[in-house]
Amino acid sequence: MPAFLLRLFVFLALFLNVSFIVDLSHASEPAPKIVRIGYAIPVNYKGNPATIHKSGYTYEYLLMIASFNNWRYVYVYRPWSDLLEDLAAGRIDILDNVSYTPERAKQFDFSVMPIRSEAYYLFVPEGQKDKYQNKEDFFGKRIGVGRDTTVSSQLRQWNKDNGLNLISILIKCSHS
């Protein structure tokens, strides 16, 4: 057999063998599982929520989980309070950034290991941080906080526990 035909035969055999292996590997992959994830739209948002740029620690963490589990996310865009109802009714599968409360724990499964700890900050005017070195320095101050949010109830409790006589200025917001 001439060397040219032998090389051609070996090349075709290798090509067909590799093509067959590649085809088999794709055939064995299951289709991705569709996971509906709630995404809170800002209050009074007028544009198409699907065009909102998504980024941040939680977003990246959820993408990593999806890649490990062969999930494909379908985002459900709604106001925050509607998303909590959707989660309770099973219309969405995941809702991130839900603050843990004993009441919510009766209704929802919270992960055993949170992806981060919750921390709340009090912001003060530029150049005045030296006036607020201790929690007592906030006595009688007005503090803006989201209306009907978990944070507002936690602030009320912190105020009560510390006797700071804070004045809560309630602000309409889209997230709890």
Side-chain angles (χ1 to χ4, degrees), residues 124-133:
V124 299
E126 180 75 33
Q128 296 187 22
K129 72 177 181 177
D130 292 340
K131 293 181 181 180
Y132 300 96
Q133 295 298 310

Side-chain angles (χ1 to χ4, degrees), residues 33-174:
K33 178 182 178 186
I34 304 299
V35 176
R36 298 160 301 172
I37 187 164
Y39 195 91
I41 55 174
V43 173
N44 299 323
Y45 185 77
K46 301 294 185 213
N48 178 359
T51 62
I52 295 173
H53 177 72
K54 297 172 193 66
S55 64
Y57 180 81
T58 303
Y59 175 72
E60 298 295 329
Y61 185 77
L62 288 171
L63 287 180
M64 184 178 62
I65 291 172
S67 71
F68 291 152
N69 292 295
N70 194 27
W71 291 353
R72 186 172 66 82
Y73 292 137
V74 172
Y75 289 93
V76 176
Y77 301 95
R78 304 203 353 112
W80 175 254
S81 58
D82 293 345
L83 289 172
L84 279 176
E85 292 173 15
D86 289 347
L87 184 63
R91 291 186 291 268
I92 60 174
D93 303 305
I94 296 175
L95 182 59
D96 67 334
N97 292 324
V98 178
S99 295
Y100 178 91
T101 65
E103 297 79 28
R104 287 179 178 167
K106 292 175 187 172
Q107 189 173 18
F108 304 116
D109 286 331
F110 284 83
S111 58
V112 176
M113 298 247 334
I115 62 172
R116 62 179 181 258
S117 63
E118 292 188 66
Y120 301 100
Y121 299 91
L122 296 174
F123 294 94
V124 299
E126 180 75 33
Q128 296 187 22
K129 72 177 181 177
D130 292 340
K131 293 181 181 180
Y132 300 96
Q133 295 298 310
N134 304 301
K135 63 184 174 188
E136 293 78 16
D137 296 336
F138 288 94
F139 184 85
K141 299 295 183 192
R142 295 178 302 150
I143 296 182
V145 65
R147 176 183 288 130
D148 301 324
T149 62
T150 303
V151 175
S152 67
S153 64
Q154 291 171 336
L155 179 64
R156 279 192 301 277
Q157 187 62 48
W158 187 72
N159 184 28
K160 182 180 173 185
D161 293 346
N162 292 284
L164 296 176
N165 200 29
L166 299 173
I167 301 165
S168 294
I169 307 299
L170 301 177
I171 302 165
K172 184 178 179 180
C173 66
S174 66

